[in-house]
Amino acid sequence: MSARAKAIAPLAIVIGVLSFLWTELSLNFTFHWVTVQDELAGDGQLGLPENFHLILPTAFISWGLFFAAGGDNAAFGKIFIACTFGAVAALVTMPLAFKTADAPDFWGIALWVGIFAFILVMILIAGDWYYVAGTFPAFASVFLWWIATGLDGYVPNGGGTENTVQALGDPATAGAGAFGGLISTPWGWVWFSTWVTLVCGVILGIVSAKITAAVTPKPKTAEA
């Protein structure tokens, strides 16, 4: 094994194991452990998710940002702050967007996205502690989940009005979200679920870096 492979292999193994564990945790959390009482497949095989989810792919976004920012303790702080700024900007944007213009007009969303994108960049004047490259993926992650879960507030009944199996079969109450309305989420919970999952990704980043540093063999020092 080459020196380069020996240096990379511990990180690859650690990230592979943590990726497996995160996938198991997030999917079981959302579809098995934290669900409403109704069951979709019987015998507890698949539950209808609650409004709070751990969003499997979102954590990988902030996890990657952690390494892009340097993969160290300073990167943890920078990406945590960036994710919080980006997610909060999206939280404010959503209600402003659908109160300005709801479906089928998109200009209300476009207007406020443009305004908060400007604000997120202007915060750079506050100093180098602010990592603007991390705020945009976080900002976008909230909107991605908002779209995937029915655009609650913007689309009539998007996000659903009842979190039950019966509501899924009623077009008057079921949301237009992922899995035909299975995950139809109020916009406030869209934000909270996304922000918590982004934070999980930052934690995965620092954990993977620390474990890798602990298990990677140290180079041998030359004897005098």
Side-chain angles (χ1 to χ4, degrees), residues 25-128:
L25 170 67
S26 60
L27 292 179
N28 279 291
F29 180 95
T30 300
F31 293 103
H32 285 304
W33 300 338
V34 183
T35 61
V36 297
Q37 292 182 348
D38 303 281
E39 295 174 351
L40 299 179
D43 299 325
Q45 294 180 28
L46 187 66
L48 181 67
E50 290 281 5
N51 286 325
F52 175 68
H53 316 125
L54 290 178
I55 309 165
L56 169 62
T58 301
F60 287 98
I61 295 173
S62 50
W63 194 352
L65 287 170
F66 166 80
F67 283 103
D72 53 16
N73 292 337
F76 177 86
K78 289 171 70 172
I79 301 305
F80 178 85
I81 292 171
C83 287
T84 300
F85 270 76
V88 169
L91 172 65
V92 179
T93 299
M94 285 185 288
L96 289 175
F98 61 70
K99 287 179 181 178
T100 301
D102 57 12
D105 296 317
F106 291 108
W107 68 266
I109 296 177
L111 172 66
W112 289 106
V113 167
I115 289 172
F116 278 96
F118 169 80
I119 292 171
L120 287 173
V121 174
M122 284 301 297
I123 297 175
L124 274 169
I125 64 177
D128 293 338

